[in-house]
Amino acid sequence: MKAVVMAGGEGTRLRPMTASMPKPLLPVENKPIMEHVLRLLKRHGLTETVVTVQFLASLVKNYFGDGEELGMELTYANEEKPLGTAGSVKNAEEALRDDAFLVISGDALTDFDLTDLIRFHRERGAMVTVCLTRVPNPLEFGITIVDEDGKVERFLEKPTWGQVFSDTVNTGIYVMEPEVFDYVEPDVPVDWSGDVFPQLMKEGKPIYGYIAEGYWEDVGTHESYVKAQADVLEGKVDAERDGFEISPGVWVAEGAEVHPDAVLRGPLYIGDYAKVEAGAEIREHSVIGSNVVVKSGAFLHRAVVHDNVYIGPQSNLRGCVIGKNTDIMRASRIEDGAVVGDECLIGEESIVQGNVRIYPFKTIEAGAFVNTSVIWESRGQAHLFGARGVSGILNVEITPELAVRLAGAYATTLKKGSTVCTARDHSRGARALKRAIISALQASAIDVRDLENVPLPVARQQTARGSAGGIMIRTTPGVPDSVDIMFFDERGADLSQAGQRKLDRVYARQEYRRAFPGEIGDLSFPSSVYDSYTGSLLRAVDTTGVAEAGLKVVVDASNGSAGLVLPSLLGRLGVDALTINPGLDESRPTESAESRRAGLVRLGEIVASARAAFGVRFDPVGERISLVDEHGRIVEDDRALLVMLDLVAAERRSGRVALPVTTTRIAEQVAAYHGTQVEWTTTSPDDLTRVSRDDDGTVFGGDGRGGFIVPEFSSVFDGAAAFVRLIGLVARTQLTLSQIDARIPRAHVSRRDLATPWAVKGLVMRTVVEAAGDRSVDTTDGVRVVESDGRWVMVLPDPAEAVTHLWAEGPDEASAQALLDEWAAVVDSAGH
């Protein structure tokens, strides 16, 4: 016997899940509903099957093909227009003329005994046998009344409660004899229960009803879809399942990676090659698709997650459905009954309320509160660039495809035949992305000088030597699974705001330039990069007195690329240096705050026992340094800025120092004491860079987080240059770091971050200005309010995240905290 599977339905009530996928392909426990149906047919020997298709027909055909993988023979009957339940079977009449056949819906989940149904049909000599089942609420279905022999007495389509006189409903599964086609008009919409069956009954033809035992769920609504998943997990339906039961009710498919410290409470299912991190909690009735990543601290309960979804740390998903290729970012909440379509982005700390529908390709901004469905707005990222170039999670937000498009857009902003320097840190992710970027640049008629793995300052300096620009890929500091793609201008500095906007525009329009075959760019690997870097550094920075001082220093390369430049630098500097952690460690391209702290403590111990003048620790890309004094005590980054400022200003006695407005005002006292002036800049590193480059009188710049600018050498943060400068200064002053530190007053600056939805950021800043009243207000960056007693607070909205930053300074810790509390309340009141 042949079977007909009806797979033409649109499933409009299931939108947005069915906006880009036909209903029969919706996964139940990671297999399309229709695959469960086909496997049931095969179990009952019905291997020759005709599939009727209409809506998104090609997707169904592409998925199942000729059925060979399932051990079946599938053919397809395509409807040009909707023909109704009977019309679409009539459309497949050619293949069904020879014998009785079974009709079954491709989007209902069941485990009925089809063999018994066929036996019943044959024994009764029926022309049509309707498969019936008992349901608690028959309103959604057609009711069928049968006598004790099973003969159908009456049909009633979708009744009202006043018409309900039975709980046996039509499941849409039929066994039919080919003569039934005589009652179906071709090429017009015809339904079985509305048109054909009443006619057959009128003529007294044998129509029987078979009341089936077993499971049947018409997956027509979101509630029934989520219920069907739970029922399969509970074992209420006899469905085939791939994978292994690792503990009672916890099923894990092949290749899935589940950390032993993840909390799993079955019944649940984790798909193939999914990854569940330590600290994630997955509760009952959750289904995790293939290649899904569940980060630490995420909580899922009754959540149905389709394939290739990223679920960020601390996110909370309850009773919701998440479409494929969607990214759920950190600390988002998705409530009961919500449905998120395919390829959406749910921003950090956003809340999607219960029963909200988010249609495919939408972006929900960080911090947003969504309580109505999002249907029309298109997906569009507000800004490609954040504080550190284009940043995001590797292979979630930053993929090779994005890198190629980005590099193509960047190349389009430059002239054909220009040269671009490319560089990376020592991580595998950066290496893979850089190769994609190089290909895209060459394909856009750009010559590439690939520096490979070099410290960030070396990449900047090499870019400034005759290239039109540069691209550096590095692991985001402190975030090992994220990367930054940084773009440089012809001077090796970060791309200006205007340059970023231009690149953003080309990227958004996708207007990439392509080279003709004869114009493909060249690829070269410059040699002796480190020698030329250290040569120009030692020529530019004053190192007089270093050789005579006989200083001993300990240098920690922290297993990063700074270690690559140290051998040629220390040898020519003529200083007694002990280098620790010089080797590259691919598995640790960045470090957490804890491991950095632990590294500094170890460095301090070595400095103290070696009786060195000081210790310096580079960050993994050689951009920033941290200091340890001669006693092995850590000099905190904000103190290190004041120590370095004091040394430079004492030696120069004039000029300007560039500092961000969040720096303690004690810096002003130190600078003034030695006759130098402070030039306040915004908190953006490129603003510090601009001031250091454009103002000839600048003698120093720093950001209080280990970033130092040595203007006589370059206008960007450079760890090696800061180190050389410091050695020269210490050698000439003959003072130790602790002596310099001791003569500078203590600063008390406190900082706090408050979550602020994007929509209220403007309101927050207006409220802050109004609350300042007649106090002095500085708007260099954000709003800085100065109290009459000299205490100050600064409020600054973050450009890339749904956060507002606050800084406050007072004469002691308590007064700084009190000021911070006062203004945090102002920000909070505006934000809610």
Side-chain angles (χ1 to χ4, degrees):
M1 184 182 277
K2 289 184 180 174
V4 182
V5 175
M6 316 273 283
E10 284 192 45
T12 46
R13 289 180 302 164
L14 280 164
R15 285 188 183 155
M17 283 190 285
T18 51
S20 50
M21 180 195 300
K23 186 174 158 191
L25 287 187
L26 277 184
V28 171
E29 207 178 72
N30 292 0
K31 284 192 191 76
I33 303 175
M34 184 169 141
E35 186 172 331
H36 289 289
V37 171
L38 291 174
R39 285 172 183 269
L40 175 71
L41 291 173
K42 189 188 173 202
R43 284 208 298 273
H44 291 281
L46 298 153
T47 53
E48 276 189 76
T49 298
V50 182
V51 183
T52 67
V53 287
Q54 190 220 338
F55 177 69
L56 298 176
S58 59
L59 295 181
V60 177
K61 289 180 185 174
N62 291 346
Y63 187 91
F64 291 106
D66 59 7
E68 190 183 355
E69 275 187 34
L70 291 168
M72 299 180 75
E73 283 177 52
L74 300 186
T75 52
Y76 296 89
N78 208 341
E79 290 175 48
E80 299 303 318
K81 58 181 184 187
L83 294 171
T85 52
S88 59
V89 177
K90 172 84 171 176
N91 198 34
E93 182 179 357
E94 277 304 299
L96 304 168
R97 266 274 164 226
D98 310 332
D99 189 12
F101 55 90
L102 180 135
V103 178
I104 190 166
S105 165
D107 50 25
L109 190 63
T110 181
D111 58 6
F112 286 163
D113 185 344
L114 303 180
T115 306
D116 200 50
L117 169 66
I118 293 164
R119 179 196 57 73
F120 177 93
H121 173 81
R122 291 203 160 129
E123 279 179 4
R124 298 291 189 283
M127 185 174 183
V128 173
T129 298
V130 181
C131 186
L132 308 171
T133 191
R134 302 187 192 282
V135 295
N137 179 358
L139 291 191
E140 284 297 307
F141 311 102
I143 286 178
T144 308
I145 304 292
V146 292
D147 64 17
E148 47 291 356
D149 192 35
K151 200 160 191 194
V152 173
E153 293 180 336
R154 188 165 169 203
F155 285 107
L156 191 62
E157 274 291 279
K158 301 204 177 170
T160 63
W161 270 121
Q163 296 171 307
V164 168
F165 37 71
S166 167
D167 63 352
T168 49
V169 301
N170 180 353
T171 62
I173 303 173
Y174 311 114
V175 182
M176 298 180 162
E177 297 297 325
E179 297 92 76
V180 79
F181 287 127
D182 301 342
Y183 294 85
V184 184
E185 212 180 315
D187 294 328
V188 295
V190 184
D191 274 328
W192 290 123
S193 47
D195 306 316
V196 179
F197 296 164
Q199 185 61 34
L200 292 175
M201 287 180 69
K202 200 185 283 180
E203 294 186 17
K205 300 291 183 199
I207 302 186
Y208 281 81
Y210 169 86
I211 299 176
E213 298 296 325
Y215 181 90
W216 178 78
E217 181 71 54
D218 174 49
V219 185
T221 62
H222 290 103
E223 294 70 32
S224 62
Y225 178 66
V226 174
K227 178 180 180 293
Q229 308 276 353
D231 290 343
V232 172
L233 290 169
E234 292 275 6
K236 290 180 180 174
V237 49
D238 180 13
E240 291 179 32
R241 176 182 284 158
D242 302 329
F244 315 94
E245 193 171 15
I246 58 168
S247 63
V250 175
W251 285 82
V252 176
E254 181 193 356
E257 202 180 308
V258 181
H259 196 281
D261 294 336
V263 179
L264 305 178
R265 294 201 194 166
L268 58 87
Y269 186 88
I270 295 171
D272 48 349
Y273 302 102
K275 183 178 182 192
V276 181
E277 290 193 353
E281 183 173 353
I282 303 180
R283 299 277 301 268
E284 304 83 18
H285 301 160
S286 293
V287 177
I288 308 298
S290 302
N291 303 310
V292 169
V293 176
V294 183
K295 300 295 283 182
S296 178
F299 176 90
L300 292 86
H301 187 201
R302 295 189 307 106
V304 178
V305 180
H306 293 182
D307 296 348
N308 304 315
V309 169
Y310 172 86
I311 299 172
Q314 283 79 55
S315 49
N316 192 306
L317 280 64
R318 293 168 188 271
C320 55
V321 179
I322 309 296
K324 62 179 185 289
N325 302 323
T326 283
D327 298 335
I328 310 281
M329 305 314 280
R330 183 186 60 78
S332 319
R333 287 181 69 90
I334 302 182
E335 301 285 3
D336 228 335
V339 180
V340 179
D342 297 348
E343 301 198 34
C344 290
L345 175 71
I346 309 296
E348 293 193 350
E349 297 189 8
S350 52
I351 298 173
V352 177
Q353 283 283 76
N355 301 318
V356 164
R357 307 283 182 254
I358 295 176
Y359 275 63
F361 312 107
K362 303 291 176 284
T363 293
I364 302 301
E365 281 188 337
F369 181 84
V370 185
N371 56 8
T372 56
S373 293
V374 180
I375 298 172
W376 303 117
E377 297 87 331
S378 66
R379 175 173 187 163
Q381 211 168 352
H383 297 291
L384 208 49
F385 283 85
R388 301 172 301 268
V390 180
S391 305
I393 301 162
L394 179 66
N395 278 339
V396 173
E397 295 165 294
I398 306 288
T399 59
E401 297 88 336
L402 177 126
V404 164
R405 293 202 301 272
L406 206 48
Y410 180 57
T412 306
T413 66
L414 305 171
K415 290 191 174 73
K416 277 189 178 183
S418 301
T419 300
V420 168
C421 278
T422 56
R424 63 172 175 88
D425 71 5
H426 54 286
S427 67
R428 288 184 177 185
R431 179 191 290 162
L433 289 176
K434 180 174 66 68
R435 288 173 178 162
I437 282 170
I438 289 172
S439 305
L441 291 172
Q442 288 180 280
S444 301
I446 297 290
D447 292 335
V448 179
R449 291 178 71 227
D450 185 22
L451 306 170
E452 300 181 275
N453 174 19
V454 293
L456 186 49
V458 175
R460 291 185 186 280
Q461 188 232 26
Q462 286 290 320
T463 299
R465 296 189 163 188
S467 293
I471 301 177
M472 167 100 185
I473 303 113
R474 67 156 181 194
T475 307
T476 306
V479 192
D481 55 0
S482 287
V483 288
D484 302 336
I485 302 179
M486 306 173 76
F487 291 87
F488 307 146
D489 62 17
E490 70 284 358
R491 290 175 293 213
D494 288 342
L495 215 50
S496 66
Q497 292 288 327
Q500 290 181 14
R501 276 197 297 274
K502 187 175 179 186
L503 176 49
D504 228 335
R505 216 165 35 243
V506 176
Y507 178 83
R509 291 183 190 153
Q510 304 204 356
E511 295 170 350
Y512 312 133
R513 179 183 69 219
R514 291 280 173 257
F516 298 113
E519 300 175 323
I520 299 290
D522 209 9
L523 174 60
S524 60
F525 300 91
S527 58
S528 61
V529 168
Y530 297 119
D531 288 344
S532 72
Y533 171 79
T534 51
S536 55
L537 173 55
L538 294 174
R539 281 194 298 276
V541 178
D542 184 0
T543 55
T544 50
V546 172
E548 299 75 27
L551 289 177
K552 187 178 189 182
V553 292
V554 184
V555 182
D556 185 350
S558 61
N559 299 114
S561 52
L564 300 170
V565 81
L566 289 173
S568 67
L569 181 63
L570 295 170
R572 293 157 80 169
L573 197 53
V575 66
D576 181 6
L578 167 63
T579 306
I580 60 172
N581 300 321
L584 293 173
D585 184 350
E586 261 190 8
S587 65
R588 288 191 303 135
T590 182
E591 51 188 4
S592 64
E594 294 78 28
S595 62
R596 175 173 171 265
R597 194 81 193 168
L600 280 169
V601 170
R602 277 197 302 280
L603 174 64
E605 290 163 359
I606 296 166
V607 168
S609 64
R611 305 230 170 123
F614 63 87
V616 61
R617 187 172 200 270
F618 287 87
D619 76 349
V621 290
E623 187 178 36
R624 297 167 184 275
I625 56 170
S626 302
L627 301 179
V628 169
D629 71 14
E630 73 282 7
H631 303 300
R633 287 193 296 248
I634 297 169
V635 183
E636 300 298 344
D637 287 346
D638 53 347
R639 292 301 289 176
L641 176 67
L642 296 174
V643 167
M644 198 84 144
L645 169 62
D646 188 61
L647 280 165
V648 172
E651 186 168 277
R652 288 299 181 91
R653 299 276 165 192
S654 68
R656 277 192 170 75
V657 293
L659 303 171
V661 280
T662 49
T663 312
T664 166
R665 300 300 130 170
I666 286 169
E668 221 162 20
Q669 297 172 28
V670 173
Y673 180 78
H674 296 299
T676 54
Q677 278 179 299
V678 174
E679 168 99 9
W680 297 111
T681 75
T682 70
T683 51
S684 136
D686 51 335
D687 202 26
L688 268 176
T689 298
R690 183 186 52 73
V691 170
S692 309
R693 184 179 63 223
D694 296 349
D695 183 354
D696 286 345
T698 307
V699 294
F700 172 72
D703 70 349
R705 291 182 299 131
F708 296 103
I709 293 172
V710 180
E712 58 268 38
F713 174 60
S714 77
S715 61
V716 296
F717 294 146
D718 188 331
F723 167 60
V724 172
R725 179 96 185 257
L726 180 62
I727 281 188
L729 290 164
V730 170
R732 291 190 291 277
T733 53
Q734 308 267 305
L735 289 171
T736 66
L737 293 192
S738 63
Q739 286 169 329
I740 298 161
D741 189 13
R743 73 186 188 190
I744 300 170
R746 293 278 133 198
H748 300 281
V749 178
S750 297
R751 180 180 170 170
R752 193 174 300 171
D753 292 345
L754 297 175
T756 313
W758 285 100
V760 298
K761 280 190 174 182
L763 172 63
V764 163
M765 298 314 286
R766 193 183 78 215
T767 309
V768 167
V769 172
E770 286 168 359
D774 51 9
R775 283 170 280 208
S776 166
V777 170
D778 168 12
T779 54
T780 304
D781 197 10
V783 175
R784 192 172 74 90
V785 182
V786 185
E787 303 281 346
S788 53
D789 58 4
R791 293 184 306 152
W792 59 269
V793 69
M794 182 168 150
V795 182
L796 176 69
D798 190 287
E801 294 176 16
V803 169
T804 301
H805 305 293
L806 283 81
W807 290 262
E809 182 172 27
D812 53 57
E813 206 61 46
S815 69
Q817 280 296 338
L819 194 59
L820 206 51
D821 290 341
E822 180 189 329
W823 286 91
V826 173
V827 171
D828 257 346
S829 67
H832 293 98

